[in-house]
Amino acid sequence: MKIKNNIIAVSVLLNVLLGFLFYNETTKEGPVDVGLSFKEAVRVENYKMAKTLIAEGRQEHISEETLKKINEVMSAGTGFKTYELLEFDNGEMVLLNLTPDAKYEIQDVTIVPDELKSIFK
């Protein structure tokens, strides 16, 4: 009887643990989710919400005026692209264009020219 109770308790604990892990994995925000949330917040002129998506310490560098300009240039259709920047010790940079799904495969590779490196710094 004691073994049966132990097996039931372990089974319940495993189910709770797996449920928690599944919930955490499905509610994770990826780059596209952040982009969608940002676009929607700016579209409805909820700049306070848009600022919550900006990294702490960087919020003051992105003004409400900038957010208003984004709202003005925004159109109905939006494409979302995910990139990873490789910055090497020698100052060279490579930009990887990734697929926007959870698998993140490389679609294109671009060596960043010297005149564009300042954009990424």
Short mmCIF file of all heavy atoms in Angstrom, two decimals, residues 36 39-40 43 70-80:
data_model
loop_
_atom_site.label_atom_id
_atom_site.label_comp_id
_atom_site.label_asym_id
_atom_site.label_seq_id
_atom_site.Cartn_x
_atom_site.Cartn_y
_atom_site.Cartn_z
N LEU A 36 5.69 42.25 -32.55
CA LEU A 36 4.24 42.41 -32.68
C LEU A 36 3.67 43.27 -31.55
O LEU A 36 2.85 44.16 -31.79
CB LEU A 36 3.54 41.05 -32.66
CG LEU A 36 3.58 40.24 -33.95
CD1 LEU A 36 3.13 38.80 -33.71
CD2 LEU A 36 2.71 40.90 -35.00
N LYS A 39 4.73 46.92 -32.16
CA LYS A 39 3.98 47.51 -33.26
C LYS A 39 2.57 47.86 -32.80
O LYS A 39 2.07 48.96 -33.08
CB LYS A 39 3.92 46.56 -34.44
CG LYS A 39 3.10 47.13 -35.59
CD LYS A 39 2.83 46.12 -36.67
CE LYS A 39 1.90 46.76 -37.69
NZ LYS A 39 1.24 45.80 -38.52
N GLU A 40 1.91 46.96 -32.11
CA GLU A 40 0.54 47.20 -31.67
C GLU A 40 0.48 48.36 -30.66
O GLU A 40 -0.41 49.20 -30.74
CB GLU A 40 -0.06 45.94 -31.06
CG GLU A 40 -1.52 46.06 -30.69
CD GLU A 40 -2.44 46.42 -31.86
OE1 GLU A 40 -2.08 46.19 -33.04
OE2 GLU A 40 -3.53 46.97 -31.60
N ARG A 43 0.97 51.51 -32.62
CA ARG A 43 -0.19 51.74 -33.50
C ARG A 43 -1.35 52.40 -32.75
O ARG A 43 -1.99 53.31 -33.27
CB ARG A 43 -0.66 50.43 -34.13
CG ARG A 43 -1.76 50.60 -35.17
CD ARG A 43 -2.27 49.26 -35.68
NE ARG A 43 -3.05 48.57 -34.68
CZ ARG A 43 -4.31 48.86 -34.33
NH1 ARG A 43 -4.93 49.86 -34.90
NH2 ARG A 43 -4.94 48.15 -33.40
N ILE A 70 7.44 56.71 -35.70
CA ILE A 70 7.22 55.32 -36.12
C ILE A 70 5.75 55.11 -36.44
O ILE A 70 5.39 54.49 -37.45
CB ILE A 70 7.70 54.33 -35.04
CG1 ILE A 70 9.22 54.40 -34.89
CG2 ILE A 70 7.25 52.91 -35.36
CD1 ILE A 70 9.77 53.66 -33.69
N ASN A 71 4.87 55.66 -35.61
CA ASN A 71 3.43 55.55 -35.83
C ASN A 71 3.05 56.17 -37.17
O ASN A 71 2.22 55.63 -37.90
CB ASN A 71 2.67 56.21 -34.68
CG ASN A 71 1.17 56.06 -34.82
OD1 ASN A 71 0.59 56.48 -35.81
ND2 ASN A 71 0.55 55.48 -33.82
N GLU A 72 3.65 57.30 -37.51
CA GLU A 72 3.33 58.00 -38.75
C GLU A 72 3.78 57.22 -39.99
O GLU A 72 3.11 57.26 -41.02
CB GLU A 72 3.99 59.39 -38.76
CG GLU A 72 3.38 60.34 -37.75
CD GLU A 72 4.18 61.63 -37.60
OE1 GLU A 72 5.10 61.87 -38.42
OE2 GLU A 72 3.88 62.39 -36.66
N VAL A 73 4.91 56.53 -39.92
CA VAL A 73 5.42 55.81 -41.09
C VAL A 73 4.90 54.38 -41.18
O VAL A 73 5.13 53.71 -42.19
CB VAL A 73 6.97 55.81 -41.13
CG1 VAL A 73 7.51 57.22 -41.17
CG2 VAL A 73 7.55 55.02 -39.97
N MET A 74 4.19 53.94 -40.16
CA MET A 74 3.69 52.57 -40.10
C MET A 74 2.64 52.33 -41.18
O MET A 74 1.84 53.19 -41.48
CB MET A 74 3.07 52.36 -38.71
CG MET A 74 2.81 50.94 -38.35
SD MET A 74 2.11 50.83 -36.69
CE MET A 74 3.51 51.29 -35.69
N SER A 75 2.65 51.13 -41.76
CA SER A 75 1.63 50.75 -42.72
C SER A 75 0.95 49.47 -42.25
O SER A 75 1.36 48.86 -41.27
CB SER A 75 2.26 50.54 -44.10
OG SER A 75 3.14 49.45 -44.07
N ALA A 76 -0.10 49.08 -42.95
CA ALA A 76 -0.89 47.91 -42.53
C ALA A 76 -0.08 46.62 -42.56
O ALA A 76 -0.12 45.82 -41.65
CB ALA A 76 -2.12 47.78 -43.40
N GLY A 77 0.66 46.44 -43.63
CA GLY A 77 1.46 45.23 -43.76
C GLY A 77 2.80 45.38 -43.08
O GLY A 77 3.45 46.42 -43.18
N THR A 78 3.21 44.35 -42.37
CA THR A 78 4.49 44.39 -41.68
C THR A 78 5.19 43.04 -41.84
O THR A 78 4.59 42.00 -41.61
CB THR A 78 4.30 44.67 -40.17
OG1 THR A 78 3.56 45.87 -40.01
CG2 THR A 78 5.63 44.79 -39.47
N GLY A 79 6.44 43.08 -42.22
CA GLY A 79 7.26 41.88 -42.26
C GLY A 79 8.15 41.85 -41.03
O GLY A 79 8.62 42.89 -40.57
N PHE A 80 8.36 40.68 -40.48
CA PHE A 80 9.20 40.54 -39.30
C PHE A 80 10.40 39.68 -39.67
O PHE A 80 10.26 38.59 -40.19
CB PHE A 80 8.42 39.89 -38.15
CG PHE A 80 7.31 40.75 -37.64
CD1 PHE A 80 6.04 40.66 -38.16
CD2 PHE A 80 7.55 41.68 -36.64
CE1 PHE A 80 5.03 41.46 -37.71
CE2 PHE A 80 6.54 42.50 -36.17
CZ PHE A 80 5.27 42.39 -36.71
#
